[in-house]
Amino acid sequence: MTRLSSEMAIEGPVWARLTPYFAEALKHCYGELSESSIKALIAADKMQVWIALSGEGAELLGCMLTEVTEYPTLRVLRIVLLQGISFKDWGGHARVALEIFAREQGCERLEASGRKGLTRLLAPLGFEPVYTTLIMEVRQHGKERRR
């Protein structure tokens, strides 16, 4: 598991390899992010890109997008997007890398929210489900909600 510098992550060939993973992850979001907004946040050093590579051919197994979030009483490293294959093979490495980075950033906690499958992936690494996020779109007069 490796964290890419913001410059490297948005470099043309690298970004082209990451885009399919981000696009797949964005299918499970509800409009909070787009590929262009992710790229802008990475370029501004507001989010971090992590990649899992395998073998001499550097096969890209997965990637994560994180951000340091400041709550009034604590700082956390939040996993914003997580997408890939063979997570069992690289999830433990990801946890260690994230913990090291979180400590360096003065974070007290790792945090992730997402669809139910995220619990299945992250629970073996020591994450506990403590919140459920529900959403409802605010209807404009006479207009139906999306979805």
Side-chain angles (χ1 to χ4, degrees):
M1 180 58 49
T2 303
R3 184 171 69 89
L4 299 179
S5 69
S6 56
E7 296 83 18
M8 180 180 282
I10 62 171
E11 193 175 283
V14 176
W15 186 253
R17 286 186 74 190
L18 297 174
T19 300
Y21 287 86
F22 291 144
E24 187 62 31
L26 288 171
K27 290 179 184 177
H28 304 286
C29 293
Y30 290 86
E32 301 93 350
L33 292 168
S34 66
E35 287 176 35
S36 61
S37 67
I38 290 169
K39 192 172 187 178
L41 289 163
I42 293 166
D45 283 325
K46 295 186 180 207
M47 290 190 167
Q48 305 80 40
V49 176
W50 303 81
I51 58 170
L53 300 172
S54 175
E56 290 185 27
E59 177 189 2
L60 183 59
L61 297 179
C63 63
M64 289 190 296
L65 186 66
T66 61
E67 71 178 348
V68 175
T69 299
E70 295 276 349
Y71 292 113
T73 58
L74 73 142
R75 185 175 223 199
V76 303
L77 181 62
R78 189 170 82 87
I79 299 170
V80 178
L81 295 178
L82 168 62
Q83 185 65 39
I85 60 170
S86 304
F87 186 74
K88 288 187 318 186
D89 297 335
W90 57 272
H93 300 291
R95 189 203 71 218
V96 170
L98 292 178
E99 284 181 307
I100 291 169
F101 181 75
R103 274 193 295 276
E104 290 170 353
Q105 300 304 307
C107 297
E108 298 177 46
R109 173 185 303 160
L110 297 177
E111 180 178 280
S113 63
R115 57 193 176 110
K116 291 180 182 181
L118 196 59
T119 299
R120 180 181 43 80
L121 285 178
L122 297 180
L125 300 178
F127 284 78
E128 297 177 31
V130 294
Y131 298 111
T132 299
T133 303
L134 303 169
I135 66 168
M136 184 191 91
E137 306 251 348
V138 175
R139 287 184 262 186
Q140 300 302 318
H141 295 288
K143 295 184 181 177
E144 291 296 314
R145 279 184 263 156
R146 290 184 322 167
R147 294 188 76 76

